[in-house]
Amino acid sequence: MFCKSNKVMGNYLIFIGMIHGGIFCLCAILRFVKADPFLLSMLSPYIEMIIKVFVTGATAWRIHARGGNEEKALLALWGFLFLFIQAIYYVYTNLYGKLVTDLFSIVSFQEFQKWYSQMHIFKYAPMLIGMILCLFITGIFLQKKFLIILSLLLGGTYILCILFDLTATFQISNEIKALVIGSAVLCHGMESVGLFLLGIYFKIIEGSEKKHVFFYTNEIDSRKKCSQKGGTTL
């Protein structure tokens, strides 16, 4: 098992991060140019979920062919998050979006901004808590203190977003104002850049450490065989 690296799992996290980041940027551009709302609703969540299901299935097949038990466990953990928990998140977001639309039509922008900044932090709760838990469990599973500490720091950052009103307003044009919520930046950043960097960590750092353990184990085995034959090693 130690001769197997987590490169396939690293590729999976990189692809998921790129998918989310790409669709998020595309949706932002389409909103700015006032594209058809139907196209936006199809991109996220439907097209995004279809791509994630395909990538998860392809990764599961690749890991099964390699026979990596460690990667199977990690894929089960993260795949559960990106498919099941995210499906619940999208259903919840759809209901939340209807509430926001109705509220925006009956209150002033100042009142809407106050309510939106206070309640929007809970919109991302399922995915944020899910990603932090997955990162924490991964750190325990791989015995990596860095991942455990990182998950605790991210959890603390989310708590700060809840306790303090981390909101900024930008005037994009005469007709469009943009609200930037701290929890939204944290969630989308973790789901795109964060997953991409975690995938790089799996491919490079974790893989190199496992190769070191593999070669060290081979060296011990060779010394044992040599001693059994009555030879000496330098």
Side-chain angles (χ1 to χ4, degrees):
M1 183 176 112
F2 287 103
C3 62
K4 297 286 186 181
S5 70
N6 286 318
K7 288 186 176 181
V8 175
M9 192 62 200
N11 287 332
Y12 174 70
L13 294 175
I14 289 173
F15 281 132
I16 294 295
M18 292 175 63
I19 290 167
H20 180 81
I23 291 182
F24 175 79
C25 293
L26 181 59
C27 288
I29 294 172
L30 292 176
R31 288 191 185 97
F32 181 75
V33 299
K34 299 180 179 180
D36 187 358
F38 176 76
L39 178 59
L40 287 168
S41 65
M42 289 300 295
L43 277 173
S44 181
Y46 300 108
I47 294 178
E48 182 175 357
M49 284 299 297
I50 291 173
I51 297 174
K52 287 183 178 180
V53 169
F54 174 78
V55 172
T56 303
T59 303
W61 176 83
R62 181 78 175 105
I63 291 176
H64 178 74
R66 283 165 55 91
N69 293 328
E70 187 174 279
E71 284 190 313
K72 288 180 181 179
L74 290 173
L75 180 63
L77 175 66
W78 288 94
F80 178 80
L81 170 69
F82 296 135
L83 300 184
F84 183 73
I85 299 299
Q86 191 146 47
I88 296 176
Y89 163 74
Y90 281 133
V91 173
Y92 165 74
T93 301
N94 183 54
L95 298 175
Y96 178 82
K98 292 179 180 179
L99 174 64
V100 170
T101 301
D102 294 340
L103 185 65
F104 186 74
S105 61
I106 61 176
V107 299
S108 65
F109 180 80
Q110 288 75 16
E111 293 175 338
F112 174 79
Q113 178 181 352
K114 182 179 179 180
W115 178 89
Y116 191 76
S117 61
Q118 293 175 347
M119 298 301 298
H120 203 64
I121 55 177
F122 300 106
K123 171 186 176 182
Y124 299 101
M127 284 305 297
L128 267 173
I129 295 173
M131 283 188 288
I132 291 171
L133 280 175
C134 284
L135 187 63
F136 183 78
I137 295 171
T138 300
I140 294 176
F141 182 71
L142 297 178
Q143 297 181 354
K144 299 298 178 184
K145 292 182 180 179
F146 166 73
L147 296 180
I148 296 174
I149 294 173
L150 179 60
S151 65
L152 295 176
L153 290 175
L154 291 171
T157 303
Y158 182 53
I159 293 175
L160 290 178
C161 292
I162 297 176
L163 296 177
F164 301 97
D165 185 15
L166 303 180
T167 306
T169 306
F170 296 94
Q171 187 77 35
I172 299 178
S173 64
N174 293 331
E175 299 178 354
I176 302 177
K177 288 184 177 181
L179 288 176
V180 179
I181 312 295
S183 59
V185 175
L186 179 63
C187 183
H188 290 300
M190 288 177 58
E191 204 170 352
S192 54
V193 179
L195 291 177
F196 183 87
L197 294 177
L198 182 61
I200 295 295
Y201 174 84
F202 270 60
K203 284 173 64 68
I204 298 177
I205 308 298
E206 185 68 19
S208 64
E209 289 182 357
K210 286 185 177 293
K211 288 179 180 179
H212 174 73
V213 173
F214 173 64
F215 290 130
Y216 179 73
T217 305
N218 280 349
E219 182 180 353
I220 294 176
D221 291 340
S222 64
R223 287 175 180 268
K224 287 182 179 179
K225 291 179 181 179
C226 185
S227 62
Q228 289 173 358
K229 294 180 181 180
T232 59
T233 57
L234 297 176

